Amino acid sequence: MTTSSTVPPAYTRVMLKISGEALMGDQGFGLHPPTVQRVAAEVKRVHDLGVEICMVIGGGNIFRGLSGSAQGMERTTADYMGMLATVMNALAMQSALEELDIHTRVISAITMNEVAEPYIRRRAVRHLEKKRVCIFAAGTGNPYFTTDTAATLRANEMACQAIFKGTKVDGVYDKDPVKHDDAVRYDYVSYDEVLAKHLNVMDASAIALARDNHLPIIVFSLDEPGGFQGILAGEGTYTLVKD
């Protein structure tokens, strides 16, 4: 996908939320370095437009707290393990971005000074103002909250104008488009519809938090080359979730 460099971006500060699974490529587990590098290149295209970028990356490619709990592990312990997985993914993305000469800060909700900054809102805002990419890791620092909720919380705290949810498909569908050929994609859907129809966008807490703060969510395919940049220029295929 190509976009015109003369078109100003629709947003100047955004949150990019991606799953940990998005970084494992065709592998069934872990990190796939070429995939991490490809996502970093997508972020660079948007960063080069002057857009201030926050990121939250899930940890499901390494460990998912909820599934660990389902297998008999104590839920709080499992969730903390999942938070640590998000830190690993954040460090990998930081490395890939800095290879592209983009100054990046990993900011953790759990104190680990040797590898990441602690979360201090004013400091994080200053990083963004200096055009550094901020990757928020370790969720909210609390068990029982997903990285979707963490992304929505941080997006509100950072005064982001939208959340970009990068997925495997090009928007929100009424049913799984991988399993159903007759699945219909929404161009627009309201927060209340997402909750009422149990559409697979984000968990209910994240949707409610976005709704209460009038924060739009844009669901798009992270596998579409240039898709992130294109949407900021008003192009491409996506679903807009808002009031």
Side-chain angles (χ1 to χ4, degrees):
M1 176 184 294
T2 59
T3 58
S4 172
S5 60
T6 62
V7 178
Y11 304 102
T12 56
R13 181 179 293 175
V14 301
M15 167 65 73
L16 174 61
K17 167 62 172 70
I18 63 177
S19 67
E21 289 90 343
L23 301 183
M24 66 186 185
D26 294 330
Q27 302 173 154
F29 179 81
L31 287 160
H32 183 239
T35 300
V36 177
Q37 292 160 7
R38 179 181 61 78
V39 175
E42 294 289 318
V43 173
K44 175 177 169 56
R45 290 190 183 99
V46 172
H47 182 268
D48 287 348
L49 297 175
V51 177
E52 297 169 1
I53 303 171
C54 305
M55 293 183 70
V56 168
I57 306 171
N61 57 319
I62 299 171
F63 187 87
R64 186 181 294 278
L66 191 58
S67 62
S69 175
Q71 294 177 28
M73 185 178 293
E74 193 269 325
R75 173 66 188 271
T76 301
T77 299
D79 279 355
Y80 278 121
M81 291 174 67
M83 292 179 214
L84 295 177
T86 71
V87 176
M88 296 172 68
N89 284 337
L91 291 172
M93 183 57 64
Q94 179 187 41
S95 177
L97 287 168
E98 291 189 338
E99 284 289 322
L100 300 174
D101 296 322
I102 298 175
H103 295 294
T104 306
R105 296 291 184 270
V106 173
I107 301 172
S108 173
I110 298 174
T111 303
M112 48 182 76
N113 292 330
E114 289 74 14
V115 299
E117 291 186 7
Y119 175 68
I120 300 172
R121 188 185 68 84
R122 288 180 179 270
R123 182 187 292 175
V125 169
R126 187 64 180 139
H127 286 321
L128 292 172
E129 291 171 349
K130 291 181 177 180
K131 306 305 180 184
R132 297 166 181 160
V133 172
C134 289
I135 308 177
F136 296 102
T140 65
N142 301 289
Y144 296 94
F145 289 92
T146 67
T147 51
D148 281 345
T149 301
T152 310
L153 174 64
R154 297 294 185 237
N156 280 302
E157 290 178 306
M158 294 298 105
C160 291
Q161 297 160 334
I163 297 175
F164 281 70
K165 175 73 181 289
T167 70
K168 293 285 188 182
V169 294
D170 58 355
V172 180
Y173 286 76
D174 62 346
K175 62 186 79 170
D176 188 343
V178 176
K179 298 178 180 177
H180 303 277
D181 292 336
D182 61 342
V184 177
R185 185 181 59 81
Y186 296 94
D187 288 325
Y188 159 81
V189 63
S190 71
Y191 305 111
D192 289 337
E193 284 181 281
V194 169
L195 294 172
K197 296 179 180 178
H198 303 285
L199 300 176
N200 187 24
V201 178
M202 289 179 160
D203 65 73
S205 296
I207 294 296
L209 184 58
R211 178 191 62 192
D212 293 347
N213 292 278
H214 309 289
L215 181 65
I217 303 167
I218 295 165
V219 184
F220 72 105
S221 173
L222 200 62
D223 292 335
E224 174 67 29
F228 187 20
Q229 176 191 9
I231 293 167
L232 282 161
E235 302 175 0
T237 303
Y238 58 91
T239 297
L240 175 63
V241 183
K242 61 180 295 186
D243 291 318

